[in-house]
Amino acid sequence: MALQFTDADFQAAWTELDEPQIEGGWELFTESMGVKIYRLYNKETGLYEYKVFGTLSGCCPEVCADVYMDLDYRKQWDSYVKELHEKDYGGQKAVYWEVKYPFPLSNRDYVYIRERRDLQVNGRKIWTVLARSSVVSNCPEKSGVIRVKDYKQTVAMESDGAQGTKVFMNYFDNPGGNIPTWLINWAAKTGVPGFLKDMQDACSKYSNYCKNRK
């Protein structure tokens, strides 16, 4: 199988922890709870790509990375998950993820590949996870659920020098269908800080979860 992500992809992710790349049309969208969200308009889709910079206090980056990768645990703390698992689709390992949308909107689902690398960079340890949508022929679309075919997410994390984690996230998805722009904007403005807060809470409970799972 061809290499899914390159060294350059991972380097592009972690360098934004040091030097945020927000020239060329990126605008500050919102700032709350120590998190800054920038967005860039995509003319082809009429949607925005987002970059998130912030700190998760009280949880170390290694635990954050473990929590981010643990799909079974995600089902425990993310109330928007309808279905989530990783499996082998004919030689291609991929994640299937169905997300609950509020009535009367249809749920969305994703099929994506992901890779985690724990990097040593000039004496620093940086945890990175890259994900992007993938076409998997033997994972058919479900009736009444809209398949998101254009999705990417990049996460880079390192210690903030105290007890927390410095985080960079870049993401884009095209949910398809007729979703009002206000709802997409609302989801970005409230959903991302909300997700980070939920994840922070999930990190604090992760060791207990792992003990009980054994």
Side-chain angles (χ1 to χ4, degrees), residues 13-26:
W14 69 256
T15 52
E16 297 230 27
L17 287 167
D18 297 336
E19 297 176 20
Q21 304 296 308
I22 48 176
E23 300 80 30
W26 288 93

Side-chain angles (χ1 to χ4, degrees), residues 40-49 150 172:
L40 178 68
Y41 186 67
N42 183 310
K43 288 179 185 171
E44 285 179 31
T45 60
L47 300 168
Y48 288 94
E49 179 178 347
D150 190 2
F172 174 82

Side-chain angles (χ1 to χ4, degrees), residues 5 14 25 33 57-58 80 92-93 97 122 134 170:
F5 300 101
W14 69 256
M33 297 170 6
S57 59
Y80 293 100
Q92 163 99 344
K93 204 172 185 188
W97 177 32
N122 301 325
S134 178
N170 174 211

Side-chain angles (χ1 to χ4, degrees), residues 136-163:
V136 175
S137 56
N138 54 350
C139 183
E141 296 184 30
K142 293 180 181 176
S143 173
V145 178
I146 295 175
R147 174 69 47 88
V148 176
K149 295 173 181 170
D150 190 2
Y151 163 75
K152 69 171 184 179
Q153 185 156 21
T154 295
V155 179
M157 297 173 281
E158 71 172 333
S159 170
D160 67 350
Q163 302 299 312

